[in-house]
């Protein structure tokens, strides 16, 4: 009887250890290169264009709510420069939030671009890697985005061609 109990306990502990290892492997596979980033919001911006980029404002906005979370502003980014913003906390209010980039396109207008969509009520990790490659003939930024958010995983899109 003691032998059966001993093997049952060893079996249950082994099962949970294998389950723990398997869940960590799945998490690591899902995050890939973004595993090295801490929980919270990380935004890395690289200016590969030949012009100075100014007044890049990053923020979360929540669908159906007037809740706003400022993630920081980059006042100036010279050609070849790279910088980052990090916030350890993501506000817990609201579902269907997006991470936006707002920037001036001329003296009287501002453009707003969505860089990440988070359908989760409590996201824990968002990473956005933004490479600015130039501007189009209207002054809108041309850029590439790679990222990760903990609901859908990795994503990528490219807005480097001229816009309509």
């Amino acid at each position: 009887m003691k032998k059966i109990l001993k093997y049952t306990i060893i079996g249950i502990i082994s099962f949970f250890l294998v389950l723990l290892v398997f869940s960590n492997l799945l998490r690591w596979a899902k995050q890939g290169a973004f595993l090295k980033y801490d929980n919270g919001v990380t935004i890395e911006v690289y200016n590969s264009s030949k012009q100075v980029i100014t007044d890049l404002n990053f923020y979360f906005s929540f669908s159906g709510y007037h809740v706003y979370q400022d993630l920081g502003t980059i006042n100036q980014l010279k050609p070849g420069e790279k910088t980052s913003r990090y916030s350890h906390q993501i506000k817990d209010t609201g579902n269907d939030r997006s991470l936006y980039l707002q920037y001036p396109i001329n003296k009287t207008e501002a453009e707003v671009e969505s860089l990440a969509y988070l359908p989760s009520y409590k996201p824990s990790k968002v990473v956005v890697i933004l490479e600015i490659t130039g501007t189009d003939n209207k002054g809108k930024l041309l850029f590439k985005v790679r990222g990760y958010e903990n609901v859908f995983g990795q994503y990528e899109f490219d807005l480097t061609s001229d816009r309509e």
Side-chain angles (χ1 to χ4, degrees):
M1 184 68 169
K2 285 185 179 183
K3 222 175 196 182
I4 294 172
L5 183 60
K6 177 182 170 184
Y7 288 125
T8 303
I9 291 173
I10 290 173
I12 290 171
I13 291 171
S14 297
F15 173 76
F16 283 110
L17 286 175
V18 168
L19 189 64
L20 179 67
V21 168
F22 184 70
S23 67
N24 279 332
L25 286 174
L26 285 176
R27 183 177 61 95
W28 294 334
K30 184 178 178 185
Q31 289 188 32
F34 300 102
L35 183 63
K36 67 181 179 180
Y37 294 93
D38 291 334
N39 281 352
V41 182
T42 303
I43 303 168
E44 292 183 356
V45 184
Y46 175 64
N47 182 5
S48 66
S49 74
K50 293 180 173 33
Q51 56 204 95
V52 175
I53 305 297
T54 60
D55 301 321
L56 303 175
N57 182 33
F58 299 93
Y59 62 92
F60 276 126
S61 184
F62 305 91
S63 176
Y65 297 91
H66 297 291
V67 177
Y68 170 88
Q69 182 179 350
D70 184 27
L71 298 171
T73 299
I74 298 172
N75 295 322
Q76 183 179 54
L77 199 58
K78 295 177 183 172
E81 268 190 328
K82 182 179 184 177
T83 190
S84 64
R85 297 287 176 263
Y86 174 74
S87 176
H88 71 282
Q89 182 183 6
I90 301 171
K91 281 188 182 177
D92 290 340
T93 305
N95 204 359
D96 295 333
R97 72 191 80 207
S98 288
L99 190 153
Y100 292 101
L101 162 64
Q102 181 177 346
Y103 60 91
I105 56 173
N106 59 39
K107 293 180 180 174
T108 59
E109 291 182 58
E111 184 69 18
V112 176
E113 306 277 0
S114 177
L115 300 180
Y117 170 70
L118 292 85
S120 170
Y121 189 78
K122 288 189 173 201
S124 60
K125 184 174 186 176
V126 179
V127 179
V128 173
I129 300 172
L130 172 68
E131 179 187 356
I132 300 169
T133 59
T135 57
D136 68 7
N137 56 4
K138 295 177 184 170
K140 293 182 180 182
L141 292 179
L142 303 175
F143 57 88
K144 299 175 190 176
V145 174
R146 293 185 306 118
Y148 171 83
E149 51 83 15
N150 65 302
V151 176
F152 293 127
Q154 298 182 42
Y155 65 92
E156 190 171 334
F157 60 93
D158 189 338
L159 293 176
T160 57
S161 60
D162 285 340
R163 298 172 176 207
E164 306 289 328

